Amino acid sequence: MYTQGLNELAARPLAAVQEDPERLRRFEARIDAEEKIEPKDWMPETYRQTLIRQISQHAHSEIVGMLPEGNWIGRAPSLLRKSILIAKVQDEGGHGAYLYSAAETLGISRAELIEQLLSGAAKYSSIFNYPTLTWADVGAIGWLVDGAAIMNQIPLCRCSYGPYSRAMIRICKEESFHQRQGYDLMLKLARGSAAQRAIAQDALNRWWWPSLMMFGPPDTASPHTALSVRWKIKRFTNDELRQKFVDFTVPQARFLGLEIPDPALRWDAGRGQHVHGEIDWSEFQEVVRGNGPCNRDRLQARRDAHESGRWVREAALAHAAKRARAAAA
Ligand SMILES: [Fe+2]
Ligand SMILES: [Fe+2]
């Protein structure tokens, strides 16, 4: 998750590279045989660039994703909830670190990737540009946002690129804890006082549609999906994953006694699926363009963190140079 099929929305289209047909044939035969592609193996340039973009958007999303919930660490209502939230936010930082490492195996440096984030050139998941107004938002994020992330990330454990698929296996285990703690929090609120139920419903109202948008634009507007599916970077299309998420989440909302804010939502017995109402894609486009409620704050927070960590990076480099000098002497 967290990549939202934004490859499709990239301002700069990937350069069309003429690949050696024989190498391409061997590469695709390996993909067909479910072999993993490793960093030193030959790969088409489009495969490499698509992965750099997808993995780095994913890494940036994990890092920026620490901000909305980090906002509540100091105000968690109990020691237990605070410990859970600290652990979760810390996990997200770890996910970002694994994923930057996975992207680096494709021949780009972490410094370059971070520069792309801080300059606004790189995208991250638009979901993190919404504010966390009440404590219930922490529950809704775990339940819905991490829930959507799992839906998207489980198939990535079988991604054809070895370092990405291996990173996703560990990440998915942690995401499942994130989803569980969020649902547990929602359950407490839903079974609590009228005021607690009201903030739980309000959080669901605000996070439902942005969560559906996390799967990215509809398949009809995702021209590169086919190639990503053929090369087993993606296993399912955006709409397929969104549908799975809706079918999974609607009964959970019912169990909580909360109402999904979609009057058009209905069960289609023929298809064996829920049918949801129209998604407001203009809102999605606006947030992706940088005009969501918190885009500016999020980037500013990352820039400030990068600046205040500068002395640590410089000190580490100076220490490494001193040790190298001492070893050489
Ligand atoms: Fe994560
Ligand atoms: Fe998570």
Side-chain angles (χ1 to χ4, degrees):
M1 166 66 0
Y2 294 168
T3 59
Q4 288 193 320
L6 288 173
N7 290 340
E8 288 83 356
L9 293 174
R12 286 171 294 122
L14 295 170
V17 178
Q18 203 52 51
E19 301 288 2
D20 174 347
E22 181 47 32
R23 288 181 129 172
L24 187 60
R25 191 196 61 72
R26 282 203 300 262
F27 168 84
E28 292 196 328
R30 292 186 61 198
I31 298 268
D32 291 343
E34 295 289 329
E35 277 180 43
K36 294 288 179 218
I37 306 300
E38 298 297 337
K40 291 195 173 128
D41 297 343
W42 184 87
M43 61 187 81
E45 198 46 33
T46 310
Y47 179 82
R48 181 189 302 279
Q49 294 302 331
T50 302
L51 276 167
I52 288 178
R53 214 174 261 178
Q54 177 165 334
I55 300 173
S56 63
Q57 280 173 6
H58 191 163
H60 299 325
S61 303
E62 301 281 357
I63 296 296
V64 177
M66 297 163 80
L67 296 169
E69 289 178 289
N71 177 37
W72 280 91
I73 290 175
R75 291 175 287 164
S78 71
L79 182 59
L80 178 66
R81 289 288 172 197
K82 189 192 284 253
S83 320
I84 294 172
L85 186 55
I86 290 173
K88 183 204 191 264
V89 171
Q90 210 164 31
D91 282 353
E92 307 299 10
H95 298 172
Y98 294 153
L99 290 165
Y100 283 130
S101 298
E104 282 183 304
T105 64
L106 291 156
I108 187 160
S109 73
R110 187 175 302 216
E112 243 176 298
L113 294 170
I114 290 172
E115 177 49 37
Q116 289 173 359
L117 171 68
L118 300 183
S119 71
K123 299 292 180 204
Y124 56 86
S125 180
S126 62
I127 194 83
F128 301 118
N129 290 314
Y130 290 86
T132 42
L133 304 178
T134 72
W135 172 247
D137 290 18
V138 171
I141 290 178
W143 172 34
L144 301 172
V145 176
D146 290 274
I150 293 170
M151 214 45 96
N152 209 313
Q153 289 175 185
I154 295 271
L156 289 175
C157 298
R158 295 189 295 128
C159 164
S160 59
Y161 188 57
Y164 193 27
S165 74
R166 289 187 289 273
M168 291 320 303
I169 291 170
R170 175 154 178 194
I171 289 176
C172 281
K173 288 182 184 158
E174 293 176 348
E175 295 300 354
S176 126
F177 150 65
H178 300 169
Q179 195 273 350
R180 293 285 294 276
Q181 65 82 37
Y183 192 71
D184 180 66
L185 202 165
M186 291 302 274
L187 194 58
K188 282 278 183 318
L189 294 175
R191 304 229 163 127
S193 66
Q196 286 174 313
R197 275 197 300 284
I199 59 168
Q201 181 63 55
D202 170 63
L204 172 56
N205 293 348
R206 285 180 291 107
W207 291 93
W208 175 252
W209 292 104
S211 298
L212 294 196
M213 294 174 198
M214 283 177 69
F215 295 93
D219 294 348
T220 47
S222 308
H224 298 294
T225 290
L227 193 59
S228 282
V229 170
R230 184 166 117 222
W231 285 345
K232 296 181 182 164
I233 296 173
K234 271 175 113 153
R235 297 274 176 168
F236 298 98
T237 68
N238 297 351
D239 287 336
E240 285 167 348
L241 290 167
R242 188 166 15 246
Q243 183 65 49
K244 275 173 186 276
F245 175 74
V246 171
D247 289 329
F248 200 75
T249 312
V250 169
Q252 295 178 333
R254 202 166 294 138
F255 185 77
L256 293 173
L258 299 178
E259 200 178 326
I260 301 231
D262 177 359
L265 184 72
R266 63 183 172 84
W267 172 251
D268 182 325
R271 278 168 48 189
Q273 288 177 332
H274 293 89
V275 178
H276 61 78
E278 275 298 305
I279 296 174
D280 179 3
W281 290 111
S282 61
E283 175 184 324
F284 174 75
Q285 300 290 351
E286 273 306 293
V287 180
V288 170
R289 271 192 210 108
N291 302 321
C294 301
N295 294 58
R296 282 167 196 82
D297 291 355
R298 300 295 185 233
L299 266 191
Q300 196 54 50
R302 289 315 310 159
R303 287 185 189 126
D304 292 348
H306 194 68
E307 266 317 299
S308 59
R310 182 178 296 283
W311 71 270
V312 180
R313 294 189 298 277
E314 287 174 357
L317 286 173
H319 180 65
K322 198 165 107 186
R323 287 188 62 151
R325 270 197 309 276

